[in-house]
Amino acid sequence: TLGGNYKISIADGAVVFLKDVTIDGENLSKYSWAGINCPGDATLVLEGNNTVKGFYKPYPGIYIAEGKTLTIKGSGSLTASSNGSGAGIGGGYNRSCGNIVIEGGTITATAGRDAAGIGVGEYGSCGNIVIKGGTITATGGIRASGIGGGYEGYCGNIVIEGGTITANGGERGAGIGSGD
């Protein structure tokens, strides 16, 4: 359990095991970062039950930088959410993100207003989203998709090769695809 307001960044190319982790970001402007930040390519392996909530409201629960790839796998669970207007996993308000690959795990991703559950927030763009396995529930905010784009946000290709997926867009947003 994170016992303070610390910025957690994963080194480029690192594989990080999350086991029974709780990151509950505080929504204050002096903490302008996501719950977990991935400035380079990163792999998260899920074990046990994990919860990651972003800090200041424009940021996502888990952020992956543009042009980089975040891979999530394992047999554990992950609940990822924003503290306001960011995606659960991906980008935030006017903050574009890279590629997201999900290979396994039980993932619940919930966005704030105008952001996708998995994808990007308002005015941002997202790389490709590839889902190969796992049980995924993604819920977008108002005017945003469950998986894909936020309000006036754009997403690359969305490829589903396996898994069990429930994707709910917010008002005026697709389950999978585009926001308003």
Side-chain angles (χ1 to χ4, degrees):
T1 298
L2 187 63
N5 295 307
Y6 303 102
K7 183 175 184 180
I8 298 173
S9 293
I10 297 175
D12 187 24
V15 176
V16 175
F17 288 78
L18 294 182
K19 183 175 182 183
D20 299 322
V21 170
T22 300
I23 299 172
D24 188 8
E26 191 171 354
N27 188 7
L28 294 173
S29 62
K30 65 182 178 178
Y31 307 125
S32 293
W33 54 75
I36 295 177
N37 299 274
C38 304
D41 295 322
T43 300
L44 296 177
V45 181
L46 305 177
E47 296 180 351
N49 299 312
N50 303 284
T51 302
V52 179
K53 187 174 188 177
F55 285 79
Y56 189 48
K57 65 183 177 180
Y59 292 87
I62 299 174
Y63 170 70
I64 179 68
E66 285 184 88
K68 303 300 180 180
T69 300
L70 169 64
T71 302
I72 301 173
K73 59 186 180 179
S75 59
S77 69
L78 170 65
T79 299
S81 62
S82 166
N83 223 334
S85 54
I89 301 170
Y93 172 79
N94 203 21
R95 178 171 287 277
S96 297
C97 65
N99 304 306
I100 301 164
V101 178
I102 299 174
E103 297 179 354
T106 300
I107 298 171
T108 302
T110 305
R113 180 179 176 87
D114 299 327
I118 299 173
V120 73
E122 184 175 3
Y123 304 128
S125 64
C126 183
N128 298 320
I129 298 171
V130 179
I131 300 173
K132 297 180 178 182
T135 301
I136 295 134
T137 302
T139 304
I142 187 171
R143 305 186 300 184
S145 65
I147 300 173
Y151 175 68
E152 294 193 21
Y154 303 95
C155 189
N157 296 319
I158 300 170
V159 179
I160 299 173
E161 298 176 350
T164 302
I165 300 161
T166 303
N168 300 300
E171 181 182 332
R172 300 192 317 244
I176 299 174
S178 297
D180 189 15

